[in-house]
Amino acid sequence: MADSPPQMKTTILPVDARKIGRIRAVPSPQEDDLLDDLAVDLDEHSEDAEHLRLAAEQLKHSDIPVAFPTETVYGLGADATRSEAVRGIYRAKQRPVDNPLIVHFASLGQLRDLLRPHGPVENGASTNGHALDASHDDPIPAIYHPLISKFWPGPLTIILPNPPHSLLAPEVTAGLPTFGARIPANLLALALIKLADVPLAAPSANASTKPSPTAAEHVAFDLNGRIATILDGGPCDVGVESTVVDGLVDPPLILRPGGVSSEELRSCAGWEGVRVGYKNAAETTGSQPRAPGMKYRHYSPRAPVVLFEAGARAPGLEEMRG
Ligand code: TXA
Ligand code: MG
């Protein structure tokens, strides 16, 4: 895709999670739940809180995505329920539209709300046949429960069925019957989702094909002039993307490697036999990979790259130059 010239002023807003007010864990309304919820009380007089509020307002009302930190990499977020806002992500990144986006939630309650049927109601049942009183049935498939307890909030994305009459904008799933969901382990990300009060679709905040950004300056380097706001919460802790897993198939699959290792996954009940379900780009030419993103060029830095294999003799400077 051709580069287009910068269209707007990009502002970096610093936010220190310790200065935005009070963030505390509160028990989930569902008894004995897998995870606690989060309550955010913003400090009225804090500039950091003001920056966060501003970003949340933009996410609610503007169609230009906002870059924000997560524990893995910086994300380029938009309201996952509004088509125009989600299209703004593809526009800013110049990303192919058949590559679906991960949806970020602040709590299990918010995720369950999205998974429960929203279709027209007939005789006490929604048109997709599910009973209306789904309160006792967790709409999150049981296979994911051990992973959620162990790795959420954290660098793990789970593939879920997109419900009938889904509130998600169709652009999020790129036509697939499923979507990827995660709860990030970054207080600013969680507070931002809470304040915006919508799930956020967010790919990594780099231009398509470039390495994923782990600091606000990297985002500015790639997307300057293409987005209005970058929330700067400092460098990311993990530094690689979330692991994407599909537990809807048997055996379950790892669709993208990332912050949670295959060994860690195998230690969870139901995941002992997890298989690698991705191929590298060369192997997928002409075929349809399960994680659509794996068929595209990724992580292509502009500088020459030298790979060192563990245990091998390190090449000298002259050899590298040659
Ligand atoms: O750590 C991360 O996951 C970061 C931060 C911002 O959360 N996000 C991220 O998103 O890396 P993105 O859009 O760059 O990568 C999404 C990956 C792609 O490989 C995509 O193909 C896969 O998830 N994916 C998304 N939805 C999917 C689905 N329904 N089925 C299979 N794969 C899916
Ligand atoms: Mg990416």
Side-chain angles (χ1 to χ4, degrees):
M1 259 180 265
D3 275 350
S4 48
Q7 297 137 6
M8 64 191 92
K9 181 174 162 28
T10 303
T11 307
I12 298 184
L13 297 177
V15 190
D16 184 337
R18 292 162 303 185
K19 295 184 183 161
I20 60 174
R22 223 157 81 91
I23 304 179
R24 59 208 153 81
V26 293
S28 155
Q30 185 157 317
E31 230 175 287
D32 297 328
D33 208 352
L34 304 161
L35 280 188
D36 279 346
D37 268 3
L38 202 75
V40 183
D41 309 312
L42 287 189
D43 179 346
E44 295 286 312
H45 309 289
S46 147
E47 195 179 36
D48 298 75
E50 194 46 44
H51 289 169
L52 200 63
R53 214 181 273 124
L54 203 79
E57 284 302 308
Q58 285 177 17
L59 286 166
K60 277 182 167 178
H61 304 296
S62 154
D63 296 335
I64 300 166
V66 171
F68 66 97
T70 81
E71 82 283 26
T72 57
V73 299
Y74 272 70
L76 190 59
D79 176 350
T81 68
R82 288 194 296 120
S83 281
E84 264 313 308
V86 177
R87 278 191 216 130
I89 295 178
Y90 289 99
R91 251 194 317 270
K93 274 193 70 133
Q94 304 196 299
R95 175 178 169 119
V97 286
D98 64 344
N99 192 1
L101 306 171
I102 292 172
V103 187
H104 298 67
F105 296 84
S107 68
L108 288 180
Q110 190 185 31
L111 172 58
R112 290 190 184 111
D113 280 349
L114 190 118
L115 289 172
R116 293 209 165 102
H118 285 89
V121 175
E122 278 169 26
N123 303 329
S126 71
T127 46
N128 61 25
H130 285 243
L132 263 192
D133 180 21
S135 51
H136 299 297
D137 288 330
D138 192 342
I140 303 171
I143 180 81
Y144 289 125
H145 291 190
L147 300 193
I148 289 172
S149 310
K150 190 151 182 197
F151 303 116
W152 273 9
L156 181 79
T157 294
I158 64 175
I159 300 296
L160 292 162
N162 198 19
H165 311 288
S166 175
L167 296 180
L168 288 179
E171 290 80 2
V172 170
T173 55
L176 291 175
T178 54
F179 71 100
R182 83 178 190 100
I183 298 185
N186 177 295
L187 286 179
L188 292 180
L190 293 169
L192 183 67
I193 302 167
K194 273 259 162 193
L195 289 176
D197 200 24
V198 283
L200 294 185
S204 46
N206 50 290
S208 199
T209 79
K210 295 299 170 204
S212 298
T214 53
E217 303 81 59
H218 306 167
V219 181
F221 182 81
D222 257 25
L223 298 179
N224 189 29
R226 298 188 168 282
I227 56 175
T229 305
I230 301 170
L231 273 187
D232 182 359
C236 302
D237 293 338
V238 177
V240 294
E241 287 96 332
S242 61
T243 304
V244 180
V245 293
D246 186 351
L248 305 177
V249 289
D250 189 17
L253 295 175
I254 300 172
L255 300 187
R256 181 181 71 176
V260 173
S261 70
S262 52
E263 291 74 29
E264 287 176 290
L265 290 168
R266 278 193 197 101
S267 71
C268 294
W271 291 81
E272 298 85 354
V274 67
R275 300 235 180 108
V276 169
Y278 58 88
K279 298 177 179 177
N280 63 41
E283 290 171 302
T284 55
T285 310
S287 68
Q288 187 60 35
R290 289 190 64 90
M294 297 306 284
K295 74 178 170 186
Y296 292 107
R297 191 184 163 105
H298 284 291
Y299 319 118
S300 46
R302 291 189 188 179
V305 173
V306 180
L307 281 182
F308 290 89
E309 278 190 46
R313 182 187 64 86
L317 206 55
E318 281 311 311
E319 272 177 84
M320 283 203 277
R321 283 204 188 105

